[in-house]
C-alpha cells in the first residue's frame, strides 16, 4: 500500500479536502492537477487519500500519482510530455 509521510496523529484533519477528492474520484474519469504554494500539504493530502484507497475494499478506480517535483517543467509542453510518458507506461 501507499504510505503517507505523516502518521495519522500528526495529519491535520483536512476532512473537507479529502471529501472533495473522494467525490472527484467517484465522478467521471479525468485528469486532475493539484497545485498550491510550497509546503502547503498537497503531497501529504494526496498520499493520505491514496493510502485510504489502497486499503479500501472498494476503490473507485485506479489512480496514477506523479510527484512533479522530481522533474523541472518550464513549459506546458514539457509537462504534457511527462504526463503522456507516465500514462503510456502506466
Amino acid at each position: 500500500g501507499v504510505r503517507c509521510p505523516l502518521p495519522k496523529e500528526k495529519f491535520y484533519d483536512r476532512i473537507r479536502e479529502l471529501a472533495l477528492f473522494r467525490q472527484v474520484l467517484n465522478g467521471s474519469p479525468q485528469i486532475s492537477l493539484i497545485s498550491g504554494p510550497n509546503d502547503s500539504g498537497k503531497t501529504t493530502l494526496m498520499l493520505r487519500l491514496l493510502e485510504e484507497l489502497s486499503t479500501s475494499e472498494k476503490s473507485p478506480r485506479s489512480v496514477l500519482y506523479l510527484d512533479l517535483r522530481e522533474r523541472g517543467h518550464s513549459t506546458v509542453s514539457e509537462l504534457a510530455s511527462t504526463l503522456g510518458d507516465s500514462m503510456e507506461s502506466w
Side-chain angles (χ1 to χ4, degrees), residues 9-77:
E9 62 274 4
K10 293 202 177 205
F11 179 75
Y12 298 102
D13 290 324
R14 309 261 311 256
I15 295 169
R16 185 175 60 97
E17 292 89 346
L18 286 170
L20 174 66
F21 288 120
R22 283 186 202 106
Q23 183 180 1
V24 166
L25 291 174
N26 284 321
S28 300
Q30 62 189 356
I31 294 175
S32 298
L33 177 67
I34 309 332
S35 66
N38 291 342
D39 296 322
S40 61
K42 300 175 300 292
T43 299
T44 299
L45 180 65
M46 294 314 313
L47 290 175
R48 174 68 67 211
L49 179 61
L50 292 174
E51 180 180 37
E52 286 180 16
L53 292 173
S54 72
T55 59
S56 168
E57 294 276 328
K58 183 182 149 198
S59 182
R61 74 180 67 200
S62 298
V63 175
L64 171 63
Y65 168 77
L66 300 172
D67 186 343
L68 296 177
R69 292 178 297 186
E70 296 172 3
R71 301 180 194 166
H73 299 93
S74 57
T75 67
V76 173
S77 296

